[in-house]
Each structure stands twice: as C-alpha cells, then as structure tokens.
Amino acid sequence: MTDSPTRILLADDHALVRRGVRLILDAEPDLTVVAEADDGAEAVARAREHRPDLAVLDIAMPRLTGLQAARELSRSCPETRILILTMYDNEQYFFEALGAGASGYVLKSVADRDLVEACRATMRGEPFLYPGAVDALIRDHLDRVREGVTGSSRTLTDREEEILKLVAEGHTSQQIADLLVISPKTVERHRANVLQKLGLKDRLELTRYAIRVGLIEP
C-alpha cells in the first residue's frame, strides 16, 4: 500500500449513484475521489485534466458510453487504470470492457461488497472479475478453441461507433462535428459508412440498432 491514496475519477450519469459510490470510496483511507463526470465525454476530459490513478466508469452514459470512454482513455491516458462499474451482468459488455482496456468489472448490485477490493486489486495490477465473469471467460475460451475463432468481430471503427451513438441520440451533423472537433462533411461520410456497413437505411434503423447493441438506452 502506498503512502498517498489512490486518486479516482468517478463517472456515472446518475448523481445519486455517484454520491453513493463516492461515500463508499472516500470512507477508505487509501482511496479518494478527485473528480466526477456525468457522461463519457466529460470523463475523458476530466481524466486529461486531473490524470487520476484510476477511472471508475459506468457503461450506459450519454455522448460516450463507458466502453467508448475506456477505449479513449487507454489511448490518451495510458497511466490511468480503468474499472467498469455497471448494472449489466452481461457477457458481451464484459468482454468489450476487457477489450477496451478495463482491468475489472464490478456489478452495482454488489458495489458495497466488491468495489473497494476491485479498486485495490486494479492498482496492484491484478484483474478483478465478478464470479459469473470467470465462468464466461472459460466458456468463451473453450468456444473459441472449438471453433478456431481468432481476432475481433467488431465491424465499426471507434470513430464510427461514436458517430452512430450521437446520431441515435438525436444530434445533428453540425452538433456532432462540434463535439468531436471534425467537419460536418466528415461526420456525413462516417454516417454513410456506418449505414453501408450495417446494411441500414435511415436514422430510425440506426437508433434501433444502437439500442439493440447497448450504445443507448431505450
């Protein structure tokens, strides 16, 4: 255990959840919350500003999901370790979290029991997985060996996924361009690529797809 406490960024779009989680973490002498965010894009900005030791991210957040934010943090703040705190006991999200660079996956339903230990394990460089996740990992490995599957099955690039989410949330091309600091023409090109790759026709179908894969909540 180091002398200085682990500095934590906490990101969740529900203020009550953040307050509860902060109470759990700040009660520990070796952990301290130094910044909060209520969406994924703000989490990335706060991480760049505060350079925390650990980012605790919810999955379902506006603008950027926790998984998208985790991928961006892995690139731009590689020294910040990442922990996913979520209500989703979902194998797909669990594997995406690991792929995005997260060191652990904690369920909100048992946060009072698991979160503190998960933070400490992550800072020791150890993975933290809830019991069902271990079973999922073993099952997935066996399936891959059996089928000879390797590599990623993600069809969209990170940028295309960002734009898909923002389009589905109802943002205009100009708003998306401003948010991502790119031109509206670039947004339109990415949007056309997303429609083509996914075989979709319009914003309504994009939105349905985004809900189905968990990029936005219905």
Side-chain angles (χ1 to χ4, degrees), residues 86-91 93 105 107 130 132-133:
T86 179
M87 60 186 279
Y88 296 114
D89 183 357
N90 178 302
E91 288 183 18
Y93 289 143
Y105 193 96
L107 298 179
Y130 68 99

Side-chain angles (χ1 to χ4, degrees), residues 78-155:
E79 73 283 359
T80 297
R81 300 189 183 189
I82 299 165
L83 197 57
I84 297 295
L85 176 65
T86 179
M87 60 186 279
Y88 296 114
D89 183 357
N90 178 302
E91 288 183 18
Q92 179 192 339
Y93 289 143
F94 165 64
F95 286 118
E96 286 190 30
L98 296 185
S103 300
Y105 193 96
V106 180
L107 298 179
K108 287 182 181 178
S109 57
V110 290
D112 56 336
R113 187 190 74 204
D114 285 354
L115 182 57
V116 169
E117 178 49 38
C119 290
R120 289 173 179 155
T122 299
M123 293 313 298
R124 290 194 303 266
E126 301 168 5
F128 185 92
L129 310 176
Y130 68 99
V134 178
D135 297 339
L137 266 180
I138 295 169
R139 209 163 42 244
D140 180 71
H141 176 71
L142 293 175
D143 287 346
R144 284 172 180 272
V145 169
R146 196 176 303 119
E147 297 168 15
V149 176
T150 56
S152 171
S153 61
R154 291 184 70 228
T155 49

Side-chain angles (χ1 to χ4, degrees), residues 39-59:
D39 66 51
E42 188 184 1
V44 172
R46 290 278 181 273
R48 287 175 175 155
E49 178 186 354
H50 292 276
R51 296 289 168 177
D53 304 308
L54 176 64
V56 177
L57 308 173
D58 182 29
I59 287 182

